[in-house]
Amino acid sequence: MSEELLSNLQALINQLCSNGAETSPTWSSVLDTATSLSERLTHSFGLDWNQLDQLSIQLWNKTVILKTKGTLDNVSITKLRQIAFQMVSAINDSSNDEVSLKIQLKMGLKVARSWLDIKELTSAEQVLDILNQTVQRLQHIVIERGNHGQNASLNCRNKREVESNMLYIFCLEAELKFSKEEKEEAFNMLKKAQEILPNIPEQAPYVSNLCYNFGVDCFYSSCHDQAIIWLRNSYKIGKEGLHTVSHQTQSRTLRLLANCYMESKEDGWQDKASNAISLANAANPHPSGLYISLHLQLIGQVKDEEVEKALKMILDHPDCSLDLCLNTLQLLKTNHRLQSAFDLRHSIIKKFQMSPKLGIFLTAMLDLLLSEDAYNLSMAKTFAEECVSAHMSGQRLDQVTKKQFHILFWNKAAHFFQAFEFIEKALQCDRPCPETLFVAYKIALDANNADQASSNLKQLINCIPGNQTGQEANIICMAAHLAMEKGKSELAIPALECIINSGRCEDHSFMALKCLLRLKVSELEEKSIQQTSCNAR
């Protein structure tokens, strides 16, 4: 039975290790069969362990090659590793050979890591159970050697190596428990890893980062209380790690911790968040940290001078991005502090003047100013004038930005009759735009300003080519319709004539012709009545 098992397993492994085997349609079937057979291996079978050892080495090396080539998915790679690990585990089942146990441990850590990465938690747990037994046997060997007074220096190194492996196992078990939503057990496993850290402080970054990752997962799952626990633990480990954890990493942890406090709203959250972000900015002043600091200041309703100082710190940071500036603008709007951004507008424009995204900032700034109360409309007017002036003097706005400016002006004009000055700014920015001229015409018509409406209509007709597009024809139709609604035949007639002359749409032209004839007849009838009245006198 045992010889048959080994023979079958050897045949399967030879298939798996042959060149190009991974492209065979039978690959998956062979792999699954080999996996099943490897799980039946036990030391009691009395197998040829040297032969089994050679098979495990052959398969492990082949797996390394396949992983490097990138021809297999992670599941297949993990299964190959598992088969090799099962063979080594069977060989070492009752062995106390230190070298063999170390090899098994090294292989097992990779296998457990692989199972966790592909979320096969049951398989990962089984491997970790084996690893716990293996590391305990290694620990016993090291202790026994120390008790017999063997090479102290070598024994010390071996002890550190065993402790390092124990730490990795505890951390993997913590990941396993965390993935299974067993958060308390995960914390207990990390606590065991922390107890070993004083002996191997160089592993502090690894443990600290694991706590940070748990904190991130909890934060994005809105488990802010749990996130706070993990992040505080991460920072504490990094702080006690004899400077092996970088200031940048510690700062990153503290920034997220501050965010967690802000989201949790637990007792004293504002002071805790402020303390965390102050430590973060002291360790490594990052634009995101400065942004959080500004946010907290706005919540605390500090004076405008303090807000502008915080804003300037963000702008002066070499890594400040335009996206962060846009987020800052929105934050200021939410807290009714746009005046501070308005006062620093020239600094922002100067910082990003060479950026292809500058137009995005200009549009966002104008949009926020226009969306506020009448006080901010004055700032919006000033800002628009500055943008138009810069455009006319050579600092041209790109087409997308000009289009966005027009839309903002039109929207404002639709809500406020007094906003005609914004239309004027749009006309200065891009005079031949039919949409802008139409809005100007409509506002003048609503204001009963016949001369201005006539002037805008003439400009509208002149800027539209003879071969009108559907959109342009619709604009002229709307202009004629508005004039007729207002009883302004002197404005409706030239618009209707423009539609007829274009001849682009037969329906539009026919309808325009009917309207024009009706207006002309009405004019003749009115003149006839007036003439009859004069004759009667």
Side-chain angles (χ1 to χ4, degrees), residues 117-298:
D117 287 342
I118 61 175
K119 309 300 181 186
E120 291 287 347
L121 304 184
T122 301
S123 298
E125 190 166 20
Q126 291 170 353
V127 173
L128 287 170
D129 286 343
I130 296 172
L131 291 180
N132 268 313
Q133 297 171 27
T134 306
V135 79
Q136 287 172 17
R137 287 160 66 187
L138 273 173
Q139 187 180 35
H140 178 74
I141 292 171
V142 171
I143 292 172
E144 283 294 311
R145 183 187 293 121
N147 291 339
H148 288 85
Q150 296 180 6
N151 191 315
S153 177
L154 177 61
N155 207 50
C156 183
R157 286 200 302 272
N158 286 330
K159 182 182 177 183
R160 284 173 60 84
E161 186 178 354
V162 169
E163 288 176 330
S164 183
N165 286 325
M166 289 177 67
L167 180 139
Y168 281 125
I169 292 170
F170 289 144
C171 288
L172 289 173
E173 287 193 298
E175 283 192 64
L176 174 68
K177 300 299 184 184
F178 189 88
S179 298
K180 292 171 69 175
E181 300 293 330
E182 298 173 3
K183 302 297 172 61
E184 187 174 346
E185 288 83 351
F187 191 81
N188 290 336
M189 286 299 170
L190 254 300
K191 193 174 180 181
K192 289 183 178 181
Q194 281 180 255
E195 290 171 356
I196 303 173
L197 268 181
N199 299 331
I200 42 174
E202 66 275 9
Q203 299 298 339
Y206 173 73
V207 182
S208 176
N209 189 61
L210 185 58
C211 291
Y212 174 80
N213 289 338
F214 290 163
V216 171
D217 285 348
C218 290
F219 177 78
Y220 285 112
S221 300
S222 298
C223 301
H224 299 119
D225 292 343
Q226 286 288 326
I228 288 169
I229 293 172
W230 286 116
L231 293 170
R232 287 172 61 179
N233 209 41
S234 173
Y235 175 68
K236 180 183 177 183
I237 293 169
K239 187 178 178 182
E240 296 173 351
L242 300 177
H243 308 293
T244 54
V245 178
S246 69
H247 293 308
Q248 290 84 351
T249 301
Q250 289 288 78
S251 178
R252 178 193 64 175
T253 302
L254 287 165
R255 287 196 297 273
L256 185 56
L257 180 58
N259 269 320
C260 286
Y261 283 130
M262 294 170 73
E263 293 290 338
S264 72
K265 298 293 189 293
E266 67 174 38
D267 291 343
W269 68 267
Q270 197 166 340
D271 289 338
K272 292 175 182 177
S274 296
N275 181 55
I277 206 60
S278 295
L279 290 171
N281 291 337
N284 179 47
H286 188 276
S288 297
L290 299 175
Y291 173 87
I292 296 171
S293 180
L294 171 63
H295 194 175
L296 287 166
Q297 287 178 307
L298 291 169

Side-chain angles (χ1 to χ4, degrees), residues 377-422:
L377 286 180
S378 174
M379 292 192 292
K381 178 176 179 294
T382 301
F383 186 70
E385 287 173 343
E386 291 173 350
C387 290
V388 170
S389 176
H391 176 76
M392 301 301 288
S393 62
Q395 298 178 18
R396 309 291 290 178
L397 298 172
D398 61 79
Q399 290 296 328
V400 174
T401 303
K402 286 192 290 185
K403 185 69 174 177
Q404 292 300 316
F405 269 39
H406 290 313
I407 293 171
L408 293 173
F409 292 144
W410 302 335
N411 289 341
K412 202 63 180 179
H415 289 89
F416 294 96
F417 173 76
Q418 298 88 339
F420 188 75
E421 56 190 302
F422 292 109

Side-chain angles (χ1 to χ4, degrees), residues 41 53 89 99 121 127 215 306 311 318 324 381 408 443-444 451 477:
L41 290 172
D53 186 46
S89 297
V99 174
L121 304 184
V127 173
E306 293 298 315
L311 267 177
L324 183 66
K381 178 176 179 294
L408 293 173
I443 292 175
D451 291 340
C477 289

Side-chain angles (χ1 to χ4, degrees), residues 277-325:
I277 206 60
S278 295
L279 290 171
N281 291 337
N284 179 47
H286 188 276
S288 297
L290 299 175
Y291 173 87
I292 296 171
S293 180
L294 171 63
H295 194 175
L296 287 166
Q297 287 178 307
L298 291 169
I299 292 172
Q301 298 183 339
V302 298
K303 294 180 180 179
D304 288 343
E305 295 79 14
E306 293 298 315
V307 173
E308 289 190 19
K309 181 180 177 182
L311 267 177
K312 198 168 185 312
M313 287 180 68
I314 293 174
L315 284 175
D316 289 343
H317 197 286
D319 294 329
C320 174
S321 67
L322 185 58
D323 288 339
L324 183 66
C325 279

